[in-house]
Amino acid sequence: MSEHKTTWHVRHKEGLSRGERAADVLRNGMGSWTFVGIFILFMAAWAAVNTYVLAVAAWDPYPYILLNLFLSMLAGLQGAILLIAAKRQDAIAAAMARHDYETDVESKAEIERLMAVNTRQLELLEELRMLLRGAESHKDSPLRPAGGDGPAAPTGTGPR
């Protein structure tokens, strides 16, 4: 059984309200070349229909006052939608910064733990070096007999 880890971004997206998701979709749609192209085509079609096709009975003759009204309403809605989306983007940036901070704190704790382990290993190595030096100096001592395991008896003038 594999355990699937979800990122903070997935959890954040799951917690969005319907309005926040709609603002994201509209922002992504209005900020695309597709939207710009369709918008230009719509305005050209509006002008063509009201100027040439329905020249006599046009519902919005030149200077296209109804189109101006719709464009003004669209601009007002776009401003509000873009502000909502910008607020959401700020929330995402704040969540990313918080996640980065938490990761940094965890990394710092892990690095400090590893440094403590490294320091302890260096201390143990130094102790081993000192023991090795002590064993080598003891081996070279004149008190030790050439072929024996124990310490040699002192040589000199003593009672026999």
Side-chain angles (χ1 to χ4, degrees):
M1 171 159 65
S2 68
E3 186 176 318
H4 181 67
K5 272 180 110 173
T6 59
T7 63
W8 69 269
H9 197 337
V10 171
R11 289 190 306 268
H12 181 73
K13 277 192 155 193
E14 290 171 352
L16 295 178
S17 70
R18 188 179 308 166
E20 291 170 331
R21 282 192 294 262
D24 285 346
V25 168
L26 288 172
R27 177 203 59 209
N28 293 339
M30 285 186 290
S32 68
W33 284 108
T34 304
F35 176 80
V36 171
I38 291 171
F39 193 71
I40 290 172
L41 285 175
F42 172 76
M43 290 192 338
W46 183 284
V49 166
N50 281 291
T51 303
Y52 301 113
V53 176
L54 301 173
V56 178
W59 71 82
D60 187 23
Y62 183 81
Y64 313 117
I65 295 172
L66 186 59
L67 179 62
N68 274 327
L69 175 66
F70 289 151
L71 292 176
S72 296
M73 289 189 301
L74 179 64
L77 285 174
Q78 279 182 324
I81 290 168
L82 292 176
L83 285 174
I84 291 169
K87 188 170 85 171
R88 286 237 332 96
Q89 195 62 37
D90 288 346
I92 289 170
M96 287 176 65
R98 179 70 183 169
H99 176 71
D100 288 347
Y101 173 75
E102 290 169 356
T103 302
D104 290 347
V105 168
E106 290 171 6
S107 297
K108 181 182 177 196
E110 183 69 15
I111 289 170
E112 288 173 351
R113 188 186 70 77
L114 290 172
M115 288 299 294
V117 168
N118 189 16
T119 301
R120 180 64 184 137
Q121 287 175 342
L122 290 173
E123 291 169 355
L124 289 172
L125 280 173
E126 190 58 35
E127 287 177 23
L128 287 172
R129 284 185 188 133
M130 291 174 75
L131 287 172
L132 186 59
R133 283 186 200 128
E136 286 175 355
S137 66
H138 185 64
K139 180 174 124 182
D140 295 338
S141 171
L143 296 177
R144 181 165 215 178
D149 288 338
T155 56
T157 57
R160 291 196 176 205

